[in-house]
Amino acid sequence: MCINFKFCVFLFIASAYGQKCSFKRPNGTEVSPDEIKYGIVLDPIQDTASPGLILLTYITTDVSSISTPTTSSNKGRFFMTPSFQNNQFQVVLADIFADYEKYETKDSNSIYVTFNCNGGTTTTLEIILRIIDTNNHDPQFVNAPYSYKVSMPLPKNFPLHVLYGISARDVDLTNNNITFFVNESDINSQGFSASWLATDSVDTKLHRASLITTTAINFKNDFSFKVYARDTGSNPRTVSAPVTIIVDKDNSILRFAKPIYIADYSDLTPEVANGTIFTFQQGDILLSVGADDSVKYYLQEESNEYQENFHLITHSNGSIKLQLINPPSRFFNESFVLLILNATKPGVDDIAVLHISLPGRSTYKNSSISTTESPKIEFSNDDSADSTALIVLGVLLAVITIALIVMIIIYKRRSTPVVTEKVNGIQEKNEDMVEVERNSSNPVSSARRSVAFNDIVQEIKIARL
Ligand SMILES: *[C@@H]1O[C@H](CO)[C@@H](O)[C@H](O)[C@H]1NC(C)=O
Ligand SMILES: *[C@@H]1O[C@H](CO)[C@@H](O)[C@H](O)[C@H]1NC(C)=O
Ligand SMILES: *[C@@H]1O[C@H](CO)[C@@H](O)[C@H](O)[C@H]1NC(C)=O
Ligand SMILES: *[C@@H]1O[C@H](CO)[C@@H](O)[C@H](O)[C@H]1NC(C)=O
Ligand SMILES: *[C@@H]1O[C@H](CO)[C@@H](O)[C@H](O)[C@H]1NC(C)=O
Ligand SMILES: *[C@@H]1O[C@H](CO)[C@@H](O)[C@H](O)[C@H]1NC(C)=O
Ligand SMILES: *[C@@H]1O[C@H](CO)[C@@H](O)[C@H](O)[C@H]1NC(C)=O
Ligand SMILES: *[C@@H]1O[C@H](CO)[C@@H](O)[C@H](O)[C@H]1NC(C)=O
């Protein structure tokens, strides 16, 4: 009731000024003041929902326009698109919702829409969308494929991931871990182990993996295997990425395939001897690791008498042949020759022992001791007219001496832990070096061979005395 005109104008303005926006659902029910105050919670949708889905429709009263909306996304992305037209307010799912999990880590997202009401007031609605996670994304390897150029041999527990990180990301909202592994039945990945290492501190969907050797590895050629990542969602998804190990031949150690090569040429006759290319029981003399053009070979004939009579024929693939040139006639009076073959290139070397039995003067060839790893050691007897008893005694003495030496060697091998070569700054104890040899027809344990070699040389030297 107007008492006077001025008061009536005041009342009209006041009521117009205080006019509020109101919203109705399509079924006619009013949106309550509490919902307006605390936010409109939409029906939850799956992360696989299609963009364009209508999330909300309101019929508005006394709304003149809407202002630019804001979003709860910390990157300012709008996964819901509000629109206002002909007193109808609508919210639809935006196109970028398809990538929601790539950008967001929360299972709920809001937009804030401010309505300008006819009376001059404003009303802000928070529209809250809850997202139901499904395991709809594969984990994805980051920076794959992985490739490692390494020197051989690799010691046990060598962490390859330190050289180049392995990681995978799984964007699914509720997948909070990834497991990593290698295929146990793949021959190429034997000797390697992959496992979960850490979650990235910044990007919590990124998980890092470790890739380590579970045994000493000594490969001649490059090879590949796969590392797998599996997410923790329901119906877990598994992906793989290739890992390639490139053998750094330049920096790898040199390694003869065998520490010792034995040949029996006790039937060699002077007529056919010149030009003989020796054949060894252990096969071709071969550098199994590190062979290339830069390798230099030195051949040392132990007695120094026949140094000039041996000629090496080398090949860049590591295969080496030994040829006899113009042997003097006294050569055929020897019962054996012993040669040390040294292969070197900057920083690395390896040696092999070559033992060749010759026609010689030995009466008791068959009394020689022969094992798989040591050469035939023969005893020459200058005075062949000596009594049998003396010979038998001599042989017995020799056998006892050898047995003693062997015992000492065995004792030494058991009691002395041998520290093998330092590769990539990691020193490995001999007992841990369980070597895996591939691409080599006849694997020889590297740790064993370094010990075995010294023993054999010792054995031979003692035997020659
Ligand atoms: C109208 O729709 C809202 C939400 O869709 C629902 O909660 C409400 O029960 C409905 N009211 C009637 C009368 O159907
Ligand atoms: C992920 O799983 C590994 C075992 O596979 C576990 O050690 C680690 O704690 C887990 N990390 C998280 C963040 O759950
Ligand atoms: C694992 O390796 C074996 C042998 O190479 C192969 O048959 C098998 O399919 C591999 N498994 C996977 C999951 O790749
Ligand atoms: C022995 O063989 C080498 C190479 O095969 C040859 O150069 C040399 O003349 C030969 N010596 C004799 C005495 O035949
Ligand atoms: C290396 O090359 C030589 C000469 O071509 C060949 O006779 C030998 O079989 C080769 N050895 C290997 C291991 O490839
Ligand atoms: C080889 O040995 C025999 C018998 O002991 C001897 O007669 C001969 O002179 C020796 N030959 C050489 C070249 O030393
Ligand atoms: C092999 O020869 C190189 C160069 O002459 C030398 O430095 C190295 O000590 C030798 N290796 C052995 C085991 O004799
Ligand atoms: C030595 O052994 C070989 C076979 O290994 C045999 O043919 C030869 O007759 C034996 N020689 C002597 C002297 O016993």
Side-chain angles (χ1 to χ4, degrees), residues 274-275 323-327:
N274 188 32
Q323 191 178 32
L324 186 62
I325 302 289
N326 295 331

Side-chain angles (χ1 to χ4, degrees), residues 3 7 88 127 144 148 244 256 263 310 375 384 396 405 408 414 453 462:
I3 294 165
F7 185 66
Q88 181 177 285
I127 297 159
Y148 299 93
T244 305
F256 280 105
F310 291 95
S384 46
L396 263 174
I405 292 166
I408 290 166
R414 292 213 175 131
F453 166 70
I462 292 164

Side-chain angles (χ1 to χ4, degrees), residues 130-147:
R130 292 203 189 285
I131 296 124
I132 300 163
D133 186 40
T134 61
N135 193 12
N136 59 331
H137 290 96
D138 283 342
Q140 281 191 319
F141 277 103
V142 178
N143 296 330
Y146 305 103
S147 146

